Amino acid sequence: FSENQDLDNGLIINRMVTGTSTRAREMIPGHFAGLPTSIPTAAIRANGVDYVHYFHTDPILAGVKFYYSGMYKSVDNGMNWTKVESVHFSADSRFALAGYWKKDGYVYMIGTPAYRDKPGYLARFKETDIENQNAYEYWDGLGKRWVKGDENSGSVLIPGTVGELSFLYNETLKKWILVYGDIGHGFVSLRTASDITGPWSAVHRLVSPDDYPMHYGPYLHPLSAVGSNLYFTLSMWEPYNVFLMKAELVNRE
């Protein structure tokens, strides 16, 4: 849990959910010593309940063996978590990994198939329907329409290699901002749009491997939704840790 509002002072962790000892407690069941494992990809608070989207995978078998994606929820501010049985994405889903953002009564979800080298797709649902997957609507950019209940009806929103994405709507710049690891270009990419359905801008290089080698997983901090500073966490394989990053946004339009 973090409460600080001035991220220029760093991301201060006030406390963590622990078990009977001081060790961090497992939230989404996986395997400690064996495989497969469960990996969270996105989180959102909807209707006063916290939700986490995760995928279940075996990172060893056949490179990466993907099984399914699902959802867990907490009704006590993150202290305890239970599985949402009504939300399930299959192994070949376009929403194996995902990002969430709330706006105008909807939760928007941009997703990608497993794992880090596929394009992005768009869905939305009313905040009250987050546990009703049949009510999810998928954006068919070719037909310029939302299609309920059939994720295969959606068309590509973000082309290219979209890996471990994160997005938000910046109220100051009046822009949607999307960041992701982009193995096709070899850097962390940033795109913007005035409307969630596009058109989206060309790729902007946000993080270069020349400056931060072996990076992945850029996740936006929600305080970046206001102002001209973009705060995000970034993982690096060496030293295998996560860092808080800051970039200044300039609206050239």
Side-chain angles (χ1 to χ4, degrees):
F1 298 91
S2 178
E3 300 173 2
N4 67 305
Q5 300 290 305
D6 185 1
L7 295 180
D8 286 334
N9 291 325
L11 182 60
I12 301 170
I13 306 298
N14 300 93
R15 58 192 175 92
M16 298 184 181
V17 177
T18 59
T20 55
S21 69
T22 57
R23 293 178 180 269
R25 176 161 52 86
E26 184 181 61
M27 312 291 249
I28 300 174
H31 291 279
F32 176 71
L35 297 170
T37 186
S38 298
I39 302 177
T41 74
I44 193 76
R45 171 165 283 203
N47 304 312
V49 177
D50 294 310
Y51 293 91
V52 168
H53 175 286
Y54 74 99
F55 70 97
H56 202 54
T57 184
D58 187 331
I60 302 300
L61 291 178
V64 176
K65 175 67 174 179
F66 179 77
Y67 296 109
Y68 65 87
S69 288
M71 178 181 286
Y72 266 69
K73 71 176 180 180
S74 172
V75 297
D76 58 2
N77 297 316
M79 296 304 297
N80 296 281
W81 295 80
T82 57
K83 187 175 182 178
V84 179
E85 299 290 351
S86 57
V87 176
H88 180 92
F89 295 98
S90 63
D92 59 352
S93 172
R94 295 173 176 178
F95 296 87
L97 285 76
Y100 293 127
W101 193 256
K102 290 192 304 185
K103 191 175 188 298
D104 300 329
Y106 283 94
V107 175
Y108 291 93
M109 176 173 66
I110 300 178
T112 67
Y115 183 39
R116 292 171 170 153
D117 59 349
K118 307 294 193 305
Y121 299 84
L122 175 64
R124 73 176 185 181
F125 45 86
K126 292 181 180 179
E127 190 171 348
T128 53
D129 283 333
I130 189 168
E131 296 186 30
N132 180 11
Q133 193 171 350
N134 292 329
Y136 287 22
E137 298 178 320
Y138 303 90
W139 176 246
D140 176 7
L142 301 176
K144 303 297 182 183
R145 62 196 180 107
W146 293 97
V147 180
K148 182 177 290 188
D150 179 15
E151 71 167 88
N152 292 322
S153 65
S155 55
V156 171
L157 179 75
I158 306 295
T161 54
V162 183
E164 296 166 328
L165 66 89
S166 179
F167 72 103
L168 54 75
Y169 183 77
N170 184 282
E171 298 287 350
T172 302
L173 301 178
K174 306 300 181 186
K175 293 283 187 181
W176 290 94
I177 299 172
L178 170 73
V179 300
Y180 55 93
D182 189 342
I183 63 173
H185 286 95
F187 48 72
V188 172
S189 290
L190 179 149
R191 293 178 186 254
T192 64
S194 297
D195 194 297
I196 187 68
T197 58
W200 285 83
S201 72
V203 167
H204 301 281
R205 180 164 55 184
L206 179 62
V207 178
S208 169
D210 296 334
D211 299 320
Y212 301 97
M214 303 178 74
H215 60 250
Y216 61 99
Y219 292 107
L220 296 169
H221 194 288
L223 288 181
S224 301
V226 178
S228 59
N229 291 324
L230 195 69
Y231 297 94
F232 59 99
T233 58
L234 184 72
S235 298
M236 283 185 276
W237 189 257
E238 293 181 359
Y240 203 62
N241 213 326
V242 185
F243 299 87
L244 180 65
M245 313 292 287
K246 175 184 176 182
E248 184 178 358
L249 297 171
V250 178
N251 191 351
R252 292 188 171 92
E253 294 184 3

